[in-house]
């Protein structure tokens, strides 16, 4: 298959890109990761592993602390364990408290279950049913993901507060009001708001590429629809569900602004604590906690990758049924109920936020949008203006997408080629998911923004290129997690046939495997774009002065004293512009589907 | 280029004419255009670091006015605002890791910021003391607002922490005791003292009120009575505005905003617990590494001028720090001063504040 000497230049170029694309993107991935991830995060973690807090190792200080680990803190002194257990038995088996870390795990578990419960029916709906606007709805599932947490908190208070819209409605129809403000339930619901769409998207992409023939075979052999679902469909969806659950768990384990805004300090998580330590510049303490947090999140990532392996088979995609038909079908009634829940949980807070942007003390007003126009026209260089924020968000998003897609696909291919240690490598390559934004931010600040000494030169990394690279680092694992399960399902016989016909391994991947996983790549690209548009922490750390700010940064900056108006107006602009771009990305990607 | 000079001249003349008071304008500096050699040290770029709402809040912020007025008074000087995301920590860390601090002046220091900076940097001086000799209007600063025994930070305004409550919903809470009374169950919103300025000020106030040995018990009683501690002032004030709770810890200048925005005053009543308010003076200081020390001093002078002080009061919605300021009636009528003020000195905070805040946070989070 090697092009003959003197052959068509383009064919040759295509050949070499196919042959060396993997090596090239792997080198690029490694470079970006080392500079913007491993080095900065490594400096923080090293501080935790080898530093000192009042003479104690920071990690041991965390592990030995009852506040952090509750009953489990005794484990640092194994000799005391039997006595401790005896004391506990004598005390009549009281409820065991596992401290701040234990609570964080518990909270993340609940949030993951809620996100699955809310997200899986959505994946089912989008995969199995056809209805007008289905593609648009699918594109928009990523919208909650880009909303700044402060906006979500505002929307949730307005929707679910004691004096909120929901209670207003319940009172109007004569039902008793619900009080969920400042409870764990509300925090969990807000986490589901963020993560259920992620579950829907990842599982939906897998469902779209499902091997129907096996289900048909099972049905043909006499299995009922439920039996066929449990025995054939579910195992095939397993890796994708696991990927969605893993991401949700990691995100909600590392959640912080939502917890403080909707639950309060009483429901503090590890990340809340980490942030406070960083603010107080107690960096060794922060690093000790960061090491413990990272060990937990990385082991979870490893465990999930360990079990994320699916059955192989070439997908044909489901035949979708029309959604609007007979209502005697119990499934359709269930989906109707689901639609109602989605309207309340997702549309409620978003519409509340939009409404806030249109409301002033005297009722409906466009004043807050007028503020945006005025700031655009007269804002000073040190102030944040809307148009540059929009332009930067769009450009950074596209650039991050361009970088994250090849990076993510490369890592997915590496994961698929099993070799000794590939899982450990895979876990390390997924580490950007498993490291908290605060740890990364701290590392970027210490290692890059303040500069590092290298061969007698002070190297500092800031500015748009750094921001784009940081966004790509944050985003590529999402591409990997949507592509990888699909890649594992590709029928290896097809690849082997290509090899037998003379294609190199790289060639077969490029020409045969990749076109088969395009739905996953598109889903991943939209996710990557969403991550970039929604990213706040690294952006504000790496932005030079007030230049290179993005839409979420503008939202935060427009939060004024006692007025939400300008911030919610900017939030609405962000919502509109990202909604349009998601639809565009999905449509553009759709044309490439085989 | 010519047009710029022209605008600057006109601006300076206009402001000098309007102000008609002592200050840099009076001795003629305001009308020089930089060609004469003697004012070199008062020319160039002055890098002023501050917290971001000081220059970029949509409602009100004094930054733009200060820049314009200062540049009119010193036509050869330009202010470059810096608003790093991590605030003063950025410069503390720059002093620790980097090649020195890249700013001349910091605006918006609290006593606990200074304690943290000194704690982190040890022998290294982040700020330089500004003596009364170099700062000609230093004697107009209200003595009780000074919080830096070393004379580095000069106060330029102050806020008083108080409660804001909805008089249509509840009676006025008058004492700390009231807040743990069943009558006020599920009414209070506070902020996290680890990360929020008003939150920390309120915690310090309870320590002043109950004493170091008993403040944690008091807080347990507060939490048991349904008080809720949220992340920051914005979030808690939003929840208060949405009528989720009828009392919130805030500033005693709340009615200035409420009046300006035609809000229902019933919903913006100020309560001073035990007839007190906790004072949080804001200071400014010159960095020891300042590239433009003379220009920096001129800026500090400018910030204490009566006219600037009155403008800051209105635009930052905080009380002036000088006796010579004369804010307009729209401010004085609605900005309430507590009958008595409470605050901790630098020496009381140094060595204690970390332990106080940590013990408090651990108790709340374990609750």
């Amino acid at each position: 298959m090697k092009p003959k000497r003197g052959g068509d230049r383009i064919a040759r170029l295509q050949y070499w890109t196919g042959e060396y694309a993997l090596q090239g993107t792997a080198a690029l991935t490694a470079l970006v990761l080392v500079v913007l991830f491993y080095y900065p995060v490594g400096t923080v973690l090293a501080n935790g592993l080898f530093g000192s807090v009042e003479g104690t190792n920071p990690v041991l200080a965390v592990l030995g602390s009852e506040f952090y680990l509750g009953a489990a803190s005794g484990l640092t002194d194994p000799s005391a364990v039997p006595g401790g257990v005896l004391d506990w038995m004598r005390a009549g088996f009281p409820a065991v408290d596992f401290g701040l870390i234990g609570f964080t795990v518990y909270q993340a578990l609940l949030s993951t279950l809620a996100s699955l419960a809310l997200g899986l029916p959505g994946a089912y709906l989008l995969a199995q049913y056809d209805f007008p606007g289905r593609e648009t709805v699918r594109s928009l599932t990523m919208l909650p993901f880009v909303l700044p947490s402060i906006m979500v908190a505002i929307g949730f208070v307005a929707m679910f507060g004691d004096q909120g819209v929901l209670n207003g409605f319940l009172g109007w129809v004569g039902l008793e009001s619900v009080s969920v403000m400042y409870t764990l339930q509300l925090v969990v619901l807000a986490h589901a708001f963020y993560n259920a769409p992620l579950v829907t998207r990842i599982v939906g992409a897998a469902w779209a590429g499902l091997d129907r023939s096996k289900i048909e075979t099972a049905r043909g052999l006499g299995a009922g629809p439920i039996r066929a679902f449990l025995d054939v469909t579910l195992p095939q969806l397993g890796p994708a569900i696991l990927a969605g659950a893993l991401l949700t768990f990691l995100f909600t384990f590392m959640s912080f602004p939502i917890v403080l805004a909707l639950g309060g300090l009483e429901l503090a998580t590890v990340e809340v604590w980490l942030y406070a330590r960083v603010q107080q510049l107690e960096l060794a303490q922060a690093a000790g906690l960061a090491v413990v947090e990272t060990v937990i999140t990385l082991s979870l990532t490893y465990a999930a990758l360990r079990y994320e392996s699916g059955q192989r088979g070439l997908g044909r995609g489901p035949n979708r049924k029309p959604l609007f038909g007979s209502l005697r079908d119990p499934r359709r009634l269930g989906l109707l109920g689901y639609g109602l829940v989605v309207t309340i949980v997702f549309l409620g807070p978003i519409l509340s936020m939009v409404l806030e942007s249109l409301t002033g003390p005297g009722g409906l007003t466009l004043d807050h949008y007028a503020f945006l126009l005025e700031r655009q026209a007269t804002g000073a260089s040190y102030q944040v203006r809307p148009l540059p924020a929009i332009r930067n968000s769009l450009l950074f998003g596209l650039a991050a997408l361009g970088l994250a897609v090849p990076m993510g696909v490369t890592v997915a291919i590496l994961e698929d080629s099993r070799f000794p240690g590939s899982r450990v490598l895979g876990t390390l390559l997924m580490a950007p998911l498993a490291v908290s934004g605060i740890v990364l931010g701290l590392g970027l600040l210490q290692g890059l923004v303040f500069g590092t000494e290298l061969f007698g030169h002070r190297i500092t990394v800031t500015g748009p290129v750094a921001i784009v690279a940081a966004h790509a680092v944050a985003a590529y694992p999402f591409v990997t997690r949507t592509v990888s399960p699909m890649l594992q399902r590709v029928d290896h016989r097809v690849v082997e046939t290509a090899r037998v016909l003379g294609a190199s391994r790289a060639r077969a991947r490029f020409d045969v495997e990749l076109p088969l996983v395009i739905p996953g790549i598109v889903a991943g690209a939209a996710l990557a774009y969403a991550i970039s548009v929604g990213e706040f922490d690294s952006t504000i750390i790496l932005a030079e002065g007030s230049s290179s700010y993005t839409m979420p940064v503008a939202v935060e900056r427009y939060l004024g004293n006692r007025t939400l108006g300008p911030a919610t107006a900017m939030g609405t602009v962000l919502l509109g512009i990202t909604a349009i771009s998601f639809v565009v990305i999905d449509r553009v990607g759709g044309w490439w589907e085989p | 280029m010519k047009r710029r000079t022209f605008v600057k001249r006109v601006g300076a003349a206009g402001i000098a004419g309007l102000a008609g008071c002592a200050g840099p304008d009076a001795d003629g500096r305001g009308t020089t255009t930089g060609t004469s050699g003697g004012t070199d040290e008062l020319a160039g770029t002055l890098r002023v670091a501050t917290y971001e709402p000081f220059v970029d809040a949509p409602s009100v912020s004094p930054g733009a006015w200060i820049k314009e007025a200062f540049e009119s008074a010193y036509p050869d000087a330009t202010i470059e605002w810096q608003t790093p995301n991590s605030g003063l920590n950025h410069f503390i860390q720059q002093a620790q890791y980097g090649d020195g601090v890249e700013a001349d002046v910091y605006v918006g220091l609290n006593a606990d910021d200074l304690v943290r900076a000194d704690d982190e940097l040890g022998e290294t001086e982040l700020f330089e003391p500004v003596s009364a000799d170099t700062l000609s209007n230093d004697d107009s600063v209200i003595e009780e607002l000074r919080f830096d025994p070393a004379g580095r930070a000069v106060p330029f305004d102050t806020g008083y922490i108080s409660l804001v409550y909805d008089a249509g919903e509840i009676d006025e809470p008058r004492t700390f005791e009231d807040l743990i009374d069943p009558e006020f169950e599920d009414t209070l919103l506070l902020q996290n003292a680890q990360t929020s300025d008003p939150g920390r000020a309120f915690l310090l106030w309870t320590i002043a009120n109950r004493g170091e040995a008993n403040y944690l018990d008091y807080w347990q009683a507060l939490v048991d009575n349904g008080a809720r501690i949220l992340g920051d002032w914005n979030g808690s004030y939003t929840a208060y505005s949405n009528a989720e709770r009828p009392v919130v810890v805030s500033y005693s200048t709340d009615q200035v905003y409420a009046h300006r925005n035609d809000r229902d005053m019933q919903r913006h009543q100020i309560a001073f617990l035990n007839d007190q308010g906790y004072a949080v003076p804001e200071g400014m200081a010159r960095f020891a590494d300042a590239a433009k020390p003379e220009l920096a001093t001129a800026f500090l002078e400018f910030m204490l001028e009566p006219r600037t002080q009155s403008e800051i009061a209105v635009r930052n919605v905080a009380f002036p720090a000088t006796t010579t300021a004369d804010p307009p009636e729209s401010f004085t009528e609605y900005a309430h001063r507590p009958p008595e003020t409470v605050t901790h000195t630098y020496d009381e905070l140094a060595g204690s504040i970390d332990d106080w805040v940590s013990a408090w946070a651990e108790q709340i989070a374990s609750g």
Side-chain angles (χ1 to χ4, degrees), chain A residues 132-217:
Chain A
R134 181 186 159 278
E135 280 303 306
T136 310
V137 168
R138 189 174 66 96
S139 308
L140 296 183
T141 47
M142 274 293 79
L143 215 43
F145 220 60
V146 299
L147 283 177
S149 55
I150 181 78
M151 292 287 108
V152 173
I154 290 168
F156 264 67
V157 173
M159 186 68 200
F160 296 103
D162 290 359
Q163 314 293 326
V165 176
L166 183 65
N167 275 330
F169 176 76
L170 290 177
W172 183 66
V173 295
L175 289 169
E176 220 165 291
S177 62
V178 290
S179 182
V180 288
M181 277 306 280
Y182 317 123
T183 61
L184 185 56
Q185 288 93 305
L186 192 63
V187 171
V188 166
L189 195 65
H191 283 164
F193 172 88
Y194 269 119
N195 294 295
L198 192 66
V199 172
T200 297
R201 193 163 188 94
I202 291 182
V203 177
W207 214 320
L210 209 61
D211 190 353
R212 287 283 305 170
S213 61
K214 284 191 181 160
I215 301 168
E216 278 152 17
T217 312

Side-chain angles (χ1 to χ4, degrees), chain A residues 40-78:
Chain A
V41 170
T43 50
V44 175
L45 298 186
N47 196 0
L49 286 170
F50 309 113
S52 143
V53 179
E54 289 156 14
T56 319
N57 177 284
V59 176
L60 290 181
V62 170
L63 294 181
S65 142
E66 209 169 319
F67 169 71
Y68 286 124
L69 276 164
S73 64
L75 297 176
T76 42
D77 177 14

